[in-house]
Amino acid sequence: MNIAVFCGSSNPKNETYAAAARELGRSLAEGGHTLLYGGSNLGLMGVVSGAALEAGGCVVGVIPTLFSEDIIRSQAVTELVRVGSMAERKAYLIAHSDAFIALPGGIGTLDEVLEVMVANQLQHLGKPMILLNLDGFFDPFLEQLRVMHEAGFVRKGAETSLHTVADVNELFSFLERELP
């Protein structure tokens, strides 16, 4: 299975996030899944991809050409896909992934989560978007979705492709249960 992971390219202040990223990368590789991600070797992106590679996994980095050649060449991946823009990166990840996992991150991570949610709603992809809600990181986002739903801006059913899990073990239990 091809699984896209969205996460920050910064180093987190909370070590729990980095530990979960390592566990996720290792577990993806050991489960025979291909990791698709934003292509950076920085922050949580570097942690999850490094752990997957270390465990012998297949890692596909999808990186926009707007980054310098030095950054692009420094990526340790099984395969590097170059795209023209951040929008093309998201489109590639959505088209080539069977499921999506979000670790804690910044506005880029949130943008990717929302892009998948919109694609699931408008294109009826049926691909799960899973929030790894470590230490309640995504609770404010989930609350905002609830507020938008109550205000009539998020249609009933839009949340059906969004799932929340508390840890990597629960994540893999969900994947085994929900995906072929």
Side-chain angles (χ1 to χ4, degrees):
M1 187 177 326
N2 292 338
I3 300 180
V5 174
F6 305 135
C7 57
S9 61
S10 298
N11 291 314
K13 294 179 181 179
N14 185 338
E15 176 53 33
T16 301
Y17 303 161
R22 277 189 292 281
E23 183 180 0
L24 176 59
R26 186 183 69 253
S27 297
L28 287 169
E30 289 172 355
H33 305 294
T34 297
L35 166 65
L36 288 86
Y37 83 114
S40 174
N41 63 359
L42 303 173
L44 289 184
M45 283 187 179
V47 173
V48 72
S49 63
L53 284 169
E54 203 172 279
C58 182
V59 176
V60 178
V62 183
I63 193 161
T65 55
L66 63 94
F67 292 106
S68 74
E69 279 300 311
D70 289 341
I71 290 174
I72 292 172
R73 282 194 304 271
S74 72
Q75 308 313 307
V77 293
T78 309
E79 179 184 352
L80 184 65
V81 176
R82 293 180 185 207
V83 294
S85 67
M86 298 296 274
E88 288 178 33
R89 175 167 81 180
K90 290 183 289 186
Y92 183 96
L93 291 169
I94 289 170
H96 292 89
S97 299
D98 301 304
F100 308 90
I101 300 166
L103 287 162
I107 58 175
T109 302
L110 188 56
D111 176 54
E112 291 163 330
V113 168
L114 291 169
E115 187 87 17
V116 170
M117 290 178 69
V118 169
N120 268 323
Q121 181 177 356
L122 298 180
Q123 299 170 21
H124 308 288
L125 300 176
K127 298 178 181 182
M129 176 67 251
I130 307 156
L131 303 177
L132 189 48
N133 195 22
L134 303 167
D135 294 337
F137 181 85
F138 287 106
D139 287 351
F141 171 68
L142 295 167
E143 175 63 15
Q144 183 60 48
L145 289 176
R146 186 192 64 72
V147 168
M148 292 185 319
H149 174 73
E150 287 180 2
F153 293 110
V154 175
R155 285 184 270 154
K156 179 119 177 89
E159 71 285 352
T160 58
S161 66
L162 181 66
H163 307 276
T164 306
V165 297
D167 58 39
V168 174
N169 288 332
E170 186 180 346
L171 168 68
F172 279 92
S173 293
F174 171 83
L175 290 174
E176 289 171 10
R177 206 174 45 249
E178 299 295 323
L179 298 175

